[in-house]
Amino acid sequence: MAQHPSILLKNIKQPGQHTLSGYESRGGYSTIRKVLKMEPAKVTDEVKTSGLRGRGGAGFGCGVKWGFIPKGNTKPVYLINNADESEPGTFKDRVLLELDPHLVIEGMLICAWAVQSNWSCIYIRGEYGYPYTRIKAAVDEAYAKGYLGDNIFGTGFKHHMVVHRGAGAYICGEETALLNSLEGKKGQPRLKPPFFPAAIGLYGCPTIVNNTETLAALPWILENGGKAYAAIGTEKSTGTKLISASGHINKPGVYEIALGYPLLQFIEDECGGIRGGKKLKAVIPGGSSMPVLRADELAGVNIDYESLVKAGSHLGSGGFMVMDETTDMVEVALNVAHFYAHESCGQCTPCREGGHWIEKIFRRIAHGDGLGGDVQLVESICGQVAGHTICAFGEALSWPAQAFIRKFPDEFKHKIGDALVGIRSKRESLNFEYEGAH
Amino acid sequence: MTVKLSQAAEDKIEEIKKRYPDVKSAVMPALYIAQEELGFISDQAIEWVSQKVGMAPVHVREVATFYTMYYRKPVGRYHVQVCRTLSCAICGAKKLTERLRQRFGIKPGEVSADGMWSYEEVECLGSCGTAPMAEINDTYFENLTTEKLDQLIDRIGKEKPDLRYSTIKDKIGDGLKDCQKSEVVKF
Ligand SMILES: Cc1cc2nc3c(=O)[nH]c(=O)nc-3n(C[C@H](O)[C@H](O)[C@H](O)COP(=O)(O)O)c2cc1C
Ligand code: FES
């Protein structure tokens, strides 16, 4: 098994790491003390040098984004830690919030200093009750110690931090929906461009939104230097990434890998191979919004931004879902389509309607009632949704649906063909269904 | 007429309001506080929240109906939410929901006659590595099988533990003895 640098999970198993004293006993909060003596622009430069890219899904350069705050800005600058973590297959931020919450806070303070923000908010998904208690307790402890408040670490710098619970809406992970939600509105995304949150965000003020994992990497980067971080991983995918591995594998869990690590080796070594000695059928490498990859497409593919794009998918949030040879891809397509139909915020017609149409078509194919042109119909709907919505949910809905029908055409054809000639084969449904449900 | 909530609830919302750049941000926490005391978001709860945060009731209603975690009608004392999304589904989540249906004799969204139980299917809860799983009130139970689920329900029925998250106390209930509050993923 390869040795991976341990940046994010280094102390995760240490007893008492979630407490301030535990965190400090292992060197915690020493980096921020040094950072507070640096020129803020130097901090941003260091992060630019590190090549750190956003871990929330889009992979946008972290330091570059901070640089988008308008020059000569006179309004307050806000910082949001996006801990909404609702992309199916992703459960890495939860580990950080629960087991190393002070690492997250220190990362946020580094960002706050760089962008000169006096107020930040951790937007945590509502279902994360226990992780909430951990991060909230950590924030309270930091306040009590003077690490948060009007005069942090006695430097005169003011920074206040709030933990805000979401209430069960996937779309609130999208940064502008999050901002609307935080302003007390429905969580529906805003149109961008022309204005990005870094220019016009929360209550019209410049706002930096970063994912929890992105922020948690900052203490290491500022402690060891951007160059040291950039030396890990590949040229364009620097550093380490948390991979949430789930599905038909022997050892599901959260793993920290150096980017550029061979995907098949990850399944064999880290994940312990496929459960029950079965064969690998498919992998969704970046959360369910990203296109599925067939087993035969995986040779030579590495886990990093570029290699996965070349293979026809994306690293996304690193939600790594593995399926074995017994998996029925029509049922999987239906399961995923249901998620997106359910989670559309309802703002844009193509997404609100299209999601349900796709689910309906996959359902009738799965039930043995598929029609001749159904696969083409799904293609056509996907083409009309992707790129025609306010936020990237349109793509998140279309990409997986398209990938299932393109990568596993025979399974769809087979079920539709049987339906056309009146064969009713026994169905092993993946989803709970009861009379009167749909 | 607006309902009266406890003094603790009133104090809490006043304290929360001060934390944000604008009080409107407090609408979600206020809804949680109201729900904790009233069991669900009734019309009076909306009235109360609207007064606290200075928003029109219609806007509070918009928010309350947009999110799935605000209940517009009562749920069971124990509300079981089974994750139905992909990783849980391919690891057998359907069997859990079927078992609940069989045991409680009700459909998703309904409440058992004694008011004790309700259940529904929900989307990915961020526990895919310990699939299949379910959340009961605000507590996660992971790596479930139908047998484990049966034992769990038997115990809850007998011991009646507090599995709720308290918005007022920022704390999760004491829960079942010997049951971890969060069974954290393996490394
Ligand atoms: C539909 C949708 C859902 C998203 N969900 C999340 C999420 O749960 N967590 C997250 O950090 N980013 C999510 N994002 C990405 C955010 O919009 C944003 O890019 C990210 O939080 C920026 O932080 P980063 O640059 O550190 O990744 C989502 C985006 C879309 C379009
Ligand atoms: S798929 Fe069930 S918790 Fe993520």
Side-chain angles (χ1 to χ4, degrees):
Chain A
M1 201 184 296
Q3 267 298 322
H4 295 281
S6 194
I7 291 175
L8 298 158
L9 300 184
K10 189 170 71 196
N11 292 320
I12 211 92
K13 281 195 272 187
Q14 301 286 355
Q17 179 68 13
H18 65 283
T19 62
L20 195 146
S21 57
Y23 181 68
E24 270 198 318
S25 73
R26 285 174 273 272
Y29 288 118
S30 59
T31 311
I32 181 64
R33 289 173 207 264
K34 289 181 237 167
V35 166
L36 288 169
K37 294 188 188 111
M38 285 168 73
E39 212 27 67
K42 283 259 164 20
V43 180
T44 306
D45 285 344
E46 207 56 47
V47 176
K48 280 184 187 157
T49 308
S50 76
L52 174 66
R53 294 169 66 171
R55 305 300 193 214
F60 194 79
C62 179
V64 178
K65 175 159 40 185
W66 297 358
F68 288 163
I69 294 175
K71 300 263 164 325
N73 166 61
T74 50
K75 292 183 185 165
V77 175
Y78 300 131
L79 162 64
I80 311 293
N81 173 350
N82 189 345
D84 195 55
E85 188 154 76
S86 349
E87 175 71 13
T90 317
F91 44 100
K92 59 180 177 82
D93 296 339
R94 174 181 165 200
V95 173
L96 296 171
L97 295 161
E98 214 168 276
L99 297 175
D100 210 348
H102 287 284
L103 178 73
V104 175
I105 296 173
E106 187 170 5
M108 288 176 74
L109 287 175
I110 292 170
C111 174
W113 177 251
V115 302
Q116 290 293 296
S117 162
N118 302 125
W119 188 85
S120 64
C121 172
I122 302 169
Y123 190 104
I124 181 170
R125 66 177 298 184
E127 292 89 344
Y128 277 1
Y130 188 61
Y132 175 93
T133 62
R134 279 286 176 89
I135 187 77
K136 179 72 172 67
V139 167
D140 289 346
E141 264 192 304
Y143 263 109
K145 265 264 188 166
Y147 296 179
L148 286 171
D150 288 333
N151 176 16
I152 75 171
F153 299 96
T155 57
F157 183 60
K158 172 171 122 179
H159 193 79
H160 287 276
M161 195 177 279
V162 176
V163 195
H164 186 95
R165 292 175 75 210
Y170 166 71
I171 194 62
C172 289
E174 197 283 333
E175 56 188 9
T176 59
L178 188 160
L179 295 176
N180 274 345
S181 170
L182 198 52
E183 286 185 10
K185 301 177 186 146
K186 286 183 288 185
Q188 292 184 322
R190 302 173 181 174
L191 202 57
K192 59 169 191 185
F195 300 115
F196 288 88
I200 300 184
L202 187 68
Y203 293 116
C205 298
T207 305
I208 296 298
V209 184
N210 270 133
N211 173 254
T212 305
E213 183 189 345
T214 316
L215 294 161
L218 298 173
W220 194 95
I221 291 171
L222 271 297
E223 185 62 37
N224 299 277
K227 277 217 186 82
Y229 192 81
I232 303 166
T234 72
E235 191 197 334
K236 289 194 178 137
S237 301
T238 60
T240 63
K241 171 95 188 78
L242 297 182
I243 304 292
S244 317
S246 67
H248 296 140
I249 44 177
N250 282 314
K251 295 194 293 176
V254 174
Y255 297 93
E256 180 170 14
I257 60 153
L259 285 165
Y261 189 55
L263 192 151
L264 287 171
Q265 191 182 347
F266 177 70
I267 296 181
E268 267 327 300
D269 290 358
E270 271 74 11
C271 305
I274 307 298
R275 247 180 230 183
K278 297 226 168 55
K279 281 215 216 61
L280 172 67
K281 179 168 187 174
V283 172
I284 299 175
S288 74
S289 306
M290 300 307 161
V292 65
L293 296 173
R294 265 192 331 256
D296 62 276
E297 298 175 295
L298 299 175
V301 174
N302 298 329
I303 305 182
D304 63 51
Y305 296 98
E306 286 68 37
S307 183
L308 282 168
V309 167
K310 223 172 106 201
S313 191
H314 290 273
L315 178 59
S317 61
F320 194 90
M321 302 155 113
V322 182
M323 288 161 265
D324 73 15
E325 56 188 327
T326 64
T327 317
D328 180 334
M329 296 316 279
V330 177
E331 294 289 338
V332 169
L334 172 58
N335 181 285
V336 173
H338 177 92
F339 175 85
Y340 292 99
H342 180 260
E343 295 294 338
S344 171
C345 81
Q347 195 174 202
C348 313
T349 315
C351 165
R352 181 185 63 232
E353 305 298 321
H356 286 283
W357 294 344
I358 293 172
E359 184 192 353
K360 223 169 166 175
I361 296 166
F362 283 154
R363 172 160 288 115
R364 74 177 175 226
I365 298 176
H367 278 254
D369 298 320
L371 305 176
D374 273 354
V375 167
Q376 293 80 348
L377 193 53
V378 171
E379 276 283 359
S380 139
I381 297 170
C382 289
Q384 292 172 65
V385 177
H388 299 100
T389 52
I390 287 176
C391 81
F393 192 101
E395 285 77 27
L397 177 162
S398 312
W399 285 356
Q402 270 171 333
F404 289 125
I405 55 178
R406 286 181 191 168
K407 304 267 168 99
F408 300 93
D410 293 349
E411 293 190 33
F412 288 85
K413 261 193 220 135
H414 183 75
K415 288 212 176 163
I416 295 171
D418 279 356
L420 293 178
V421 295
I423 299 174
R424 285 249 165 213
S425 44
K426 195 172 168 298
R427 175 181 173 222
E428 190 62 60
S429 113
L430 191 59
N431 304 299
F432 171 71
E433 281 163 6
Y434 59 97
E435 62 289 357
H438 293 285
Chain B
M1 213 189 65
T2 353
V3 281
K4 248 197 100 53
L5 297 193
S6 70
Q7 195 55 43
E10 296 280 346
D11 294 347
K12 185 75 186 181
I13 189 62
E14 289 310 322
E15 184 233 323
I16 285 175
K17 274 158 67 173
K18 291 190 206 121
R19 296 183 195 162
Y20 295 93
D22 189 303
V23 295
K24 288 193 185 64
S25 295
V27 62
M28 292 176 75
L31 282 164
Y32 273 128
I33 290 176
Q35 177 158 291
E36 181 174 337
E37 296 227 340
L38 304 169
F40 69 105
I41 302 294
S42 59
D43 287 347
Q44 285 107 323
I46 286 180
E47 219 23 73
W48 181 83
V49 172
S50 106
Q51 285 183 6
K52 292 294 145 192
V53 300
M55 273 165 65
V58 61
H59 290 140
V60 177
R61 187 183 306 268
E62 253 184 24
V63 173
T65 51
F66 183 82
Y67 300 94
T68 55
M69 287 177 68
Y70 301 123
Y71 302 123
R72 289 290 276 127
K73 55 182 203 234
V75 293
R77 172 165 173 189
Y78 292 99
H79 185 55
V80 190
Q81 308 188 52
V82 183
C83 170
R84 63 156 295 284
T85 314
L86 190 55
S87 296
C88 285
I90 63 176
C91 293
K94 183 179 82 169
K95 291 207 186 80
L96 302 180
T97 327
E98 279 170 349
R99 183 78 192 109
L100 292 177
R101 165 123 211 240
Q102 210 181 14
R103 259 194 92 135
F104 300 148
I106 51 175
K107 286 183 192 166
E110 296 174 347
V111 182
S112 66
D114 59 2
M116 273 289 281
W117 298 99
S118 55
Y119 72 102
E120 66 179 331
E121 286 191 288
V122 294
E123 302 297 346
C124 182
L125 290 171
S127 267
C128 332
T130 41
M133 60 82 63
E135 183 183 11
I136 306 184
N137 294 351
D138 295 302
T139 307
Y140 278 23
F141 295 94
E142 304 173 44
N143 283 320
L144 288 176
T145 58
T146 43
E147 293 75 34
K148 276 203 214 168
L149 184 67
D150 269 332
Q151 290 165 7
L152 201 57
I153 290 171
D154 289 341
R155 277 194 64 183
I156 292 173
K158 257 192 239 111
E159 297 172 32
K160 306 213 167 45
D162 182 6
L163 301 176
R164 280 180 317 168
Y165 168 78
S166 163
T167 308
I168 296 166
K169 298 188 195 123
D170 282 326
K171 188 172 169 297
I172 248 177
D174 289 331
L176 289 172
K177 245 209 172 111
D178 319 317
C179 250
Q180 276 174 294
K181 288 194 172 136
S182 167
E183 195 178 320
V184 168
V185 278
K186 302 176 207 89
F187 299 103

